[in-house]
Amino acid sequence: MRLRARILLLVTLAIAAAALADDGMWMPQQIPALGDELKKLGLQIDPAQFGDLTGFPMGAVIQVAGCSASFVSPDGLVATNHHCVYGALQYNATPQNDIVRNGFLARTMKDEIQASPDTRIYVTTAIEDVTKQILCGDRCPSGRGAPERSGIHMGSGTHMGSSGDAARAKLITRRRREMIDACEKPGGVRCAVASFFEGAQYLKITEMEIRDVRLVYAPPLGIGNFGDEPDNWMWPRHTGDFGFYRAYVGRDGKTADFSAENVPYHPKHWLKISTRDLDEGDLVMLAGYPGVTSRHKTAAEVETAEQFGIPTGLRYRTILVDVLRERGKNDRAIALKNASRIAGLENYQKKFIGTLEAFKRAGIVEAKKKEEARIRETLDPRLGEAYDVATAELGKILGDEHRTLQRDTLFPWLYASSPMLTQADRLYRLSIERTKPDLDRAEDYRERNRKRLTASITRARRNIDPGSDRAGLRLFLLEATKLPADQRIPGLPATEQEVDALLDRIYASTKIGDAETEKAMFEETTEQLLARKDSMIAFAVSLRPFADQLDTAENARSGAMSRIRPVLLEALRAERGGKLYPDANSTLRVGFGVVKGYSPRNAVFYKPQTTIEGVVEKETGEEPFNSPKRLLEIAGRGWFGTYADPDLKTLPVAFISTNVVTNGQSGSASINAWGELCGLAYDSNWEGVGSDYMVEETIARTIHVDSRYMLWVMDAIDGAHNVLRELGIEPQF
Amino acid sequence: MRLRARILLLVTLAIAAAALADDGMWMPQQIPALGDELKKLGLQIDPAQFGDLTGFPMGAVIQVAGCSASFVSPDGLVATNHHCVYGALQYNATPQNDIVRNGFLARTMKDEIQASPDTRIYVTTAIEDVTKQILCGDRCPSGRGAPERSGIHMGSGTHMGSSGDAARAKLITRRRREMIDACEKPGGVRCAVASFFEGAQYLKITEMEIRDVRLVYAPPLGIGNFGDEPDNWMWPRHTGDFGFYRAYVGRDGKTADFSAENVPYHPKHWLKISTRDLDEGDLVMLAGYPGVTSRHKTAAEVETAEQFGIPTGLRYRTILVDVLRERGKNDRAIALKNASRIAGLENYQKKFIGTLEAFKRAGIVEAKKKEEARIRETLDPRLGEAYDVATAELGKILGDEHRTLQRDTLFPWLYASSPMLTQADRLYRLSIERTKPDLDRAEDYRERNRKRLTASITRARRNIDPGSDRAGLRLFLLEATKLPADQRIPGLPATEQEVDALLDRIYASTKIGDAETEKAMFEETTEQLLARKDSMIAFAVSLRPFADQLDTAENARSGAMSRIRPVLLEALRAERGGKLYPDANSTLRVGFGVVKGYSPRNAVFYKPQTTIEGVVEKETGEEPFNSPKRLLEIAGRGWFGTYADPDLKTLPVAFISTNVVTNGQSGSASINAWGELCGLAYDSNWEGVGSDYMVEETIARTIHVDSRYMLWVMDAIDGAHNVLRELGIEPQF
């Protein structure tokens, strides 16, 4: 309890002057300080409750399968998005029992099936501020400038001297690892030491790891994925994007591997599902685990993103998608192998297009520049010098970065375009890293991540198609031939002819992709591995020195950044009247907003709620707009029981709110003023995809599935009455 | 005055029970009877005024260049759409003075230039009911069933007997022609005997023909055509689709060929341009010349359109557009030659897609079937027998039509795909028709149409590209090879190989497209023409017997229809409580509606007005979203003088109303409650394109440019202060 109290104090200082803050991804501990505002928005429960991570409601908010989720029953029932249970459906589907298409319902607990062997649920159980230990080890002074005094640490680099940025980064990494190892030692937990405000603050996060996760219920694809790609990032939306897992533990209540003997986990807290009316203006809190945002980047950094990073990322994705699509055009087996890679690439393709549109619309670089001018002008003179030094240093780092920007942006795409090269590189590195002490290895190769690495290598192998691999790698080897003379990647071919000759060699005699061979390689020493003279491994080996060189440079840069960024953020915080939340870093956050429509363009208004009529309107009978017949029939009857919205006089399907989301927040609990689950977030709107960099409050929205639609689908369409009753709802259909 | 009075009486009976009628295209003479309704909607002038075609405001509403238009000053200034002055801009543009791109402004009357030699303005000067003369000649009985008794003539076919449908049609045509010739004899006028309610009523329409039409002003392409194809049929819209002509006549006030001596025409009436506020709910009257609608077709006819006519028309357009685009892909000269054909084809392509969508959405065939069942059920028993006979006869005609529907739909596309074949056919027919008495010729070849024919042949020649011609014709010759055995077109090749052999022959030695040759051909006898042994003319000659056969069949069908349709329409009129306007037929009509937004789909609302912010939002700097720099600059200042909308607090650009339009109504005067020109209609919305068949009142809208935007563009952007002053507006910029 001591730690939590300290965090509360610290954060209260940091957000003292918070005014309108509904674009935030607040640390739960920051929420109590926003209480007045939340009360004004209609919050009926005590804001202070949010600060208690093991209390209600935050104790119910968890992570599963890369998504956010929440407990919704005392027996460990977990609500999340359909696209977050999709992998489990896929893993368990067979041609005879196509549960991807038809959905899945376990009518009793006995019928619940293992989601997949590597599905995990993480429940945050503790957060502790460890900034002092990480930054200073045992040598931190307790006076002025110490962590206790301020949410953001000014010039903490002074403790180490700016000359040794690489050493500094290395030391911090080592301290974080030692702390993590100590934390995980008792077992059954996963620990992290997360950096907030880009190195100004470190929090140690302890999560219970639940390894027996089972699939309970998912609606048919024509509901859970209604609209799919054409509707991705789009409002108005009509997807029933929800599904249920259940957490299981050993009979002793402790985390355990999958076993028939296991019993449902009983969480201390769970969210009650709401059947209340939801209207424009109503408060919606969003609790989940946002991945990464870049809202605190400087104008210069955003300009680079706008001018080079995002357009290049977009172009690389586009050429790779085109090649992969072409490969699968006349071969269904290849199309299936490439499907999930293409989906992933396209998701960001679309996001990048929207981000560039948003940048242009909002004039983000100009806005950031103006803000920076304002910051400097109004800055406390005591901070002025440090700020100027930091700015100059950042300018130098960015300048250095620019000199090799094309090369360094391209290089990782050699791996991204060739899963076989990635596989070869991993096996080669594993043979090397394994020989080092665990604390000194690259993170992915540490013992604590061994299972993950194995699973990842196995998963990647399934989708290898050498033809697609070669075609993709060829694209980026050709791109590399076009790099400016002073940015050439050592050892790569210089002409198209040489590229093809290299590819002939690489793909001539590789066994990468062969399960038996890879399994053997997994255990081999570097010497044994090299003795195989595998052509793809040889290529990976040839690239490794340059890859290490880039890693080293990145390490030094990150060491420098952890000195510089806190200074800039402290100034930004001052300019924003003390109101600043840290950029997202996959830790538990809470945002708040209200249900609200918006005008996407001149003369057009999008209402904040869609209804069942919209589903019927979009229906084409073909994927992805193919509702189950039963849905269309029952929708046609026009009677929706108590799930109908009293104002809309029909069944609500989805709603939008002024909350802002990013990747990782899929499945986040949408919590109403009474602390009930009124929906699940599953997407940002198109106009809001620029929010990773900057929130346009008038048009950025989060899309949620309405809890009443979830309940109606379960009740009237799928007859999931057992799940309904567990949620405390008496069936009406 | 006698005639007008009689028409008024007649129409008053016909619409006695009119209730909600804002989807109509009313004959102006019908409007006074709708007075109560119009008063309720806010009409401030006397509804009876609309019945007087030479009075205010209808006397100001005219036709120009296939569009609707209106006089807006006592000196013959004419307001219409930009796309209706586009041809004149194109005709006068030079590489040195690209007025298409830059726009045009005559700062004094002296600077006004001839629109083009064949641009004509038509001013309706008289309408006379001639039903009796046309249907009965001198033998019409004056008792029961005579034209005077009813707006629609029941079973008028009894006067002629149903056996001689072809003879009947021929006789009607002859009487119409004699009447037209007598009417046009004094010169300076163009007459028509138009059929209303598909042969139930005939009105003789006299129009003054103004032959000296000059271009006064058109905004730059980046305003007048802002949005072009991507925005075509779309709301929200931001096009400044307006321009001005001026009518000139001889010093004696009579119509005259273009001459420097001519003087501006002084119309008796003109519309004042409005600067008033326009709000949601405000009355908008629309006066213009709608082309053709099919709202009174039967369920069976609409079903054929939905199942075959429209999808086939869409497919034919699509394959032809694809071939024409391909031809021009790498050859700018060819692309330019095909540009206007492609634009025309694509306009209907898009319209057909929207129409099919609307059919499906509204279930039009089912709705029509239900209406027909209702009609029969509630029909006055006295009419029952005639109705059943007519229905049965129509069924037989449609059955006959179906037997050769594929063939007869395809045949005209041989000509549509090959302008060279069309040209050859015209020259061949001209040589034949010329030898007949004028009254017996096909209409296009009569002396009164000689100038038009010449102009049309000359115009068509300019855009002939033999390669595109052959590629297009090939498509439809190939289609013809696929016709069912019992629908083959005599003389056409049966295989692809034969098609190519035929094409080799046709294009081997034709002089069609050569100006000198065609000029000579124009004067030749059939014998002389055939002696040339021109390969394209030989092909045209070979098709002519079959074309004549189709014409003869169509003639007989139309004769039968003029007996059958009036019976069906009388029954329809009864079912609609006496409220029925005739389908559009290019005569002057008035519709009324109100400014109103709509919901195009679930959770989306389109507001009824767009503003200048929308122009800036769509701006890309590239066609078709490239506003003049000056517009963007002045728009950015945010001050719009008295042109700003007091509620929107910014400059209005376009608005929509519940009026319904079809092709031909471009440039129609949008008239507010005070009889002022508050805008110009220029498009239907996408959701309303099905309105030719059936009006969906909740979503069908007409798009107008707001008069305040017109004035602001003239004032602030183009400095057309002389035009503004002529409109009675004092410049503010």
Side-chain angles (χ1 to χ4, degrees), chain B residues 501-652:
Chain B
L502 173 66
L503 291 169
D504 284 346
R505 278 204 305 285
I506 293 177
Y507 290 92
S509 68
T510 180
K511 286 274 166 67
I512 292 294
D514 177 72
E516 283 310 304
T517 310
E518 285 190 5
K519 219 168 162 184
M521 287 173 167
F522 201 87
E523 308 294 340
E524 288 175 353
T525 64
T526 307
E527 204 179 12
Q528 287 169 326
L529 200 61
L530 296 183
R532 287 177 172 271
K533 300 200 184 300
D534 184 283
S535 54
M536 185 60 84
I537 288 185
F539 183 52
V541 171
S542 77
L543 289 177
R544 192 35 46 205
F546 183 71
D548 287 339
Q549 178 191 322
L550 288 192
D551 279 352
T552 306
E554 176 54 35
N555 205 35
R557 192 154 45 229
S558 117
M561 282 300 199
S562 71
R563 279 187 300 108
I564 295 163
R565 192 75 73 182
V567 182
L568 302 180
L569 289 178
E570 178 69 5
L572 181 61
R573 189 185 72 74
E575 197 269 336
R576 297 211 180 155
K579 166 191 156 192
L580 196 74
Y581 53 86
D583 258 316
N585 60 354
S586 295
T587 59
L588 184 52
R589 301 292 180 95
V590 188
F592 54 96
V594 294
V595 177
K596 197 173 178 183
Y598 67 103
S599 171
R601 54 187 207 278
N602 192 237
V604 180
F605 183 75
Y606 286 170
K607 296 174 197 169
Q609 292 173 282
T610 59
T611 67
I612 190 71
E613 286 74 19
V615 177
V616 176
E617 204 176 85
K618 284 184 179 173
E619 178 70 29
T620 63
E622 281 168 34
E623 273 189 13
F625 296 106
N626 54 339
S627 305
K629 279 210 181 63
R630 187 172 163 78
L631 182 143
L632 295 173
E633 189 223 309
I634 297 191
R637 292 187 205 158
W639 182 82
F640 304 101
T642 62
Y643 310 124
D645 185 293
D647 309 294
L648 302 173
K649 312 232 181 294
T650 182
L651 183 69

Side-chain angles (χ1 to χ4, degrees), chain B residues 44-102:
Chain B
Q44 303 288 316
I45 60 174
D46 181 359
Q49 291 187 252
F50 286 91
D52 183 358
L53 286 164
T54 54
F56 178 85
M58 297 314 289
V61 179
I62 60 181
Q63 263 183 305
V64 64
C67 288
S68 302
S70 45
F71 286 123
V72 288
S73 93
D75 291 326
L77 193 65
V78 171
T80 187
N81 287 152
H82 180 273
H83 71 266
C84 302
V85 305
Y86 188 83
L89 291 166
Q90 220 172 10
Y91 183 85
N92 288 289
T94 61
Q96 293 75 40
N97 187 16
D98 187 353
I99 60 174
V100 170
R101 183 169 306 270
N102 305 328

Side-chain angles (χ1 to χ4, degrees), chain A residues 143-166:
Chain A
R144 187 182 169 277
E148 287 77 4
R149 286 289 300 274
S150 159
I152 297 163
H153 301 274
M154 289 291 307
S156 27
T158 50
H159 301 306
M160 292 200 205
S162 65
S163 60
D165 282 330

Side-chain angles (χ1 to χ4, degrees), chain A residues 235-238 360 599-615 617-620, chain B residues 235-238 360 599-615 617-620:
Chain A
W235 180 257
R237 192 72 154 275
H238 299 85
K360 200 178 153 202
S599 171
R601 53 187 208 278
N602 191 236
V604 179
F605 183 74
Y606 286 169
K607 297 173 197 171
Q609 291 173 282
T610 58
T611 66
I612 190 69
E613 286 73 20
V615 177
E617 205 175 86
K618 283 183 178 174
E619 178 69 29
T620 63
Chain B
W235 180 257
R237 194 72 153 274
H238 300 85
K360 198 178 155 203
S599 171
R601 54 187 207 278
N602 192 237
V604 180
F605 183 75
Y606 286 170
K607 296 174 197 169
Q609 292 173 282
T610 59
T611 67
I612 190 71
E613 286 74 19
V615 177
E617 204 176 85
K618 284 184 179 173
E619 178 70 29
T620 63

Side-chain angles (χ1 to χ4, degrees), chain A residues 167-188:
Chain A
R168 171 191 166 81
K170 206 172 165 188
L171 187 57
I172 288 177
T173 300
R174 193 171 185 96
R175 284 183 187 145
R176 288 166 85 169
R177 287 183 172 182
E178 286 167 347
M179 196 174 277
I180 288 168
D181 288 353
C183 171
E184 290 182 350
K185 204 161 189 195

